Amino acid sequence: MPDGWEGILEPGERILWQGQPAAGLRWQDLLDKRTPFGLVFAGFAVFWMVQAASTSGVFMALFGLPFLAVGLNMAIGGPLRDARRRRATFYTLTDRAAFVATRGTGARKLDRYPLGPGFRPTLEDGDPGSVWFATSQADARRGWRGTGSARSYDLVPVGQQRIGFEQISDARMVYGLMLANLRDQAGVAAAKG
């Protein structure tokens, strides 16, 4: 049993793979529809602050800081938060489950997704790629939205968020391990039945 996994893994459960999402900003995230609006908003705030400083003094210009912060948050806040979330995320695949571990400010979370008959992994190929295997409710909006890249485009109900091993360098290999494990489990179940 590897250090730190005592009491988490079932007896005889083996770790097959461990990894972490790719670090850093993903420039394609800046192609979001909020980015140009946020840049325009922030640009106007800077323009207003410069004008206010030249006509009314520095104190008046400081009133533009909240608007500058809102504009910058709309433009790059999401990608920065996503990069921080990925840096604090760790993945583990065993012969019985997929684990997603996250650490936040003072809190740690470990989610376990058992490999079994209802486990349906989806490969989003690329470098890095992703292996998706579950969804969660994010909010109560209705409808459908597209997710993924040009190579893999899925329709996911709005309000649901895909869960999986996101932005990993060896996505094909991990996907293959999952499929092989599911086949092995199906073979054992058929032999018992």
Side-chain angles (χ1 to χ4, degrees):
M1 182 80 57
D3 287 340
W5 286 93
E6 301 87 2
I8 296 172
L9 297 181
E10 297 174 356
E13 188 171 5
R14 294 177 300 120
I15 293 177
L16 304 175
W17 173 85
Q18 290 184 305
Q20 198 171 3
L25 281 175
R26 296 184 306 192
W27 296 109
Q28 66 267 26
D29 289 347
L30 293 175
L31 299 176
D32 187 79
K33 62 185 175 219
R34 292 173 294 216
T35 302
F37 184 74
L39 290 174
V40 168
F41 198 84
F44 181 75
V46 167
F47 173 77
W48 185 87
M49 290 169 63
V50 168
Q51 291 295 349
S54 66
T55 59
S56 302
V58 175
F59 182 73
M60 191 63 161
L62 294 177
F63 284 107
L65 284 178
F67 298 100
L68 177 62
V70 167
L72 291 175
N73 183 49
M74 287 178 3
I76 61 171
L80 288 174
R81 283 187 296 278
D82 185 56
R84 186 178 59 206
R85 177 191 56 81
R86 283 185 283 113
R87 190 174 50 247
T89 301
F90 303 88
Y91 304 132
T92 300
L93 176 66
T94 71
D95 57 345
R96 299 182 193 166
F99 292 88
V100 178
T102 54
R103 66 170 188 249
T105 52
R108 294 189 313 176
K109 180 179 172 189
L110 180 65
D111 291 318
R112 182 178 201 273
Y113 301 91
L115 276 68
F119 193 88
R120 304 263 187 267
T122 302
L123 173 65
E124 185 178 301
D125 207 1
D127 188 26
S130 300
V131 181
W132 306 106
F133 46 78
T135 58
S136 72
Q137 287 299 113
D139 59 35
R141 294 179 295 164
R142 297 188 187 280
W144 295 82
R145 65 178 163 85
T147 62
S149 64
R151 295 184 195 184
S152 170
Y153 195 80
D154 298 326
L155 285 178
V156 177
V158 169
Q160 288 192 352
Q161 190 172 29
R162 294 188 303 173
I163 298 170
F165 297 160
E166 174 186 6
Q167 299 291 305
I168 55 175
S169 60
D170 40 4
R172 274 184 181 230
M173 187 265 302
V174 172
Y175 179 71
L177 285 171
M178 286 181 180
L179 293 181
N181 241 325
L182 292 169
R183 278 193 302 271
D184 292 348
Q185 288 181 9
V188 168
K192 287 182 179 178

